[in-house]
Amino acid sequence: MGETTKIAISAGIQVGGSLFTPEQFAKIGSVVGTDAKIEMTPFKQLYAEVPHERRDVIKEELERYDLEVYPAGFVTKSLIACNFCKGAEEAGLDSARSLNTAIAGIETPTPLKIGYAGCALGTSEPLLKDISVVKMRDTFDIYVGGEPKGLKTSFAKLLISGLTEDKLVPAVTALIHFYKAHAKGKEKFSKFVDRVSLERLRQIAG
């Protein structure tokens, strides 16, 4: 067997959450092969190992079925969003899709999980993510530093409130790139937040 690489597959951000069609599942099975192992991750992506030389071809085939394909490993994961139970417009579906396009697949010191909730119900558990966005009526709040693993879990802290839609993507991408540039080795984002301070991150997010 030749060299393999792992890809991350997601169903895209939509009302109802992470919904796959039978056709999409069939396509995934046919392109990765009958011997492939497909893993369901905690961040709503499917991981699959594929031949390295066929990675780009497989990516194109899956994308034709409205699937999204990203790198696996030490990158920003695709946006972990809610089910938009308040409706696409009220919960900010377009804003979530724009944010996902901007952040998914950026190389980072450790895997980075970005959450999105369309209202204060927070069904996507935003306060347990590295960076989270919560839509509050017509503006957005950003939280940072959630830690869901281990025996010392912690909730993300409020960084910015009342952010307008046009400033959302620049603020989140600024935080990601600042972390990428200034983390110490494989420093977890929650540890990075504690070390750098909320005040400094507020300056970066602007």
Side-chain angles (χ1 to χ4, degrees):
M1 185 176 180
E3 184 181 357
T4 62
T5 188
K6 191 174 287 187
I7 60 172
I9 307 165
S10 66
I13 296 172
Q14 58 196 299
V15 174
S18 298
L19 303 174
F20 291 85
T21 68
E23 291 80 8
Q24 287 173 329
F25 273 130
K27 187 62 179 178
I28 292 170
S30 68
V31 298
V32 302
T34 56
D35 295 328
K37 292 182 178 179
I38 302 174
E39 174 191 357
M40 171 58 78
T41 70
F43 29 89
K44 297 186 178 182
Q45 291 180 331
L46 300 175
Y47 272 4
E49 284 195 0
V50 299
H52 183 73
E53 70 276 5
R54 294 196 65 238
R55 181 192 183 282
D56 291 341
V57 173
I58 289 172
K59 181 176 185 293
E60 290 177 4
E61 287 189 43
L62 293 176
E63 287 175 343
R64 283 200 290 269
Y65 278 71
D66 294 323
L67 291 163
E68 297 176 357
V69 181
Y70 302 103
F74 283 27
V75 297
T76 303
K77 304 306 177 183
S78 54
L79 193 67
I80 304 168
C82 64
N83 292 349
F84 300 93
C85 60
K86 298 284 187 178
E89 184 173 351
E90 185 175 344
L93 178 62
D94 288 343
S95 298
R97 285 174 172 167
S98 295
L99 182 59
N100 180 64
T101 299
I103 60 96
I106 299 173
E107 290 187 9
T108 46
T110 62
L112 206 61
K113 296 177 286 298
I114 314 293
Y116 180 94
C119 69
L121 288 174
T123 56
S124 56
E125 300 178 337
L127 298 190
L128 294 176
K129 307 299 187 292
D130 295 302
I131 301 172
S132 278
V133 174
V134 180
K135 188 173 187 293
M136 301 293 287
R137 296 183 182 273
D138 296 325
T139 62
F140 301 86
D141 294 349
I142 295 179
Y143 294 79
V144 295
E147 179 53 68
K149 294 182 179 179
L151 298 178
K152 295 182 179 180
T153 59
S154 59
F155 290 125
K157 306 172 186 69
L158 180 63
L159 184 72
I160 300 174
S161 62
L163 201 67
T164 55
E165 184 176 9
D166 62 308
K167 295 181 179 178
L168 177 60
V169 169
V172 176
T173 53
L175 291 170
I176 294 170
H177 288 295
F178 184 74
Y179 168 60
K180 181 177 178 178
H182 297 283
K184 293 183 176 180
K186 296 179 180 179
E187 184 178 26
K188 282 186 175 182
F189 188 77
S190 58
K191 300 291 186 184
F192 177 76
V193 170
D194 291 339
R195 177 171 65 82
V196 172
S197 80
L198 291 176
E199 291 74 17
R200 181 70 177 119
L201 292 177
R202 286 191 184 103
Q203 295 173 358
I204 298 302

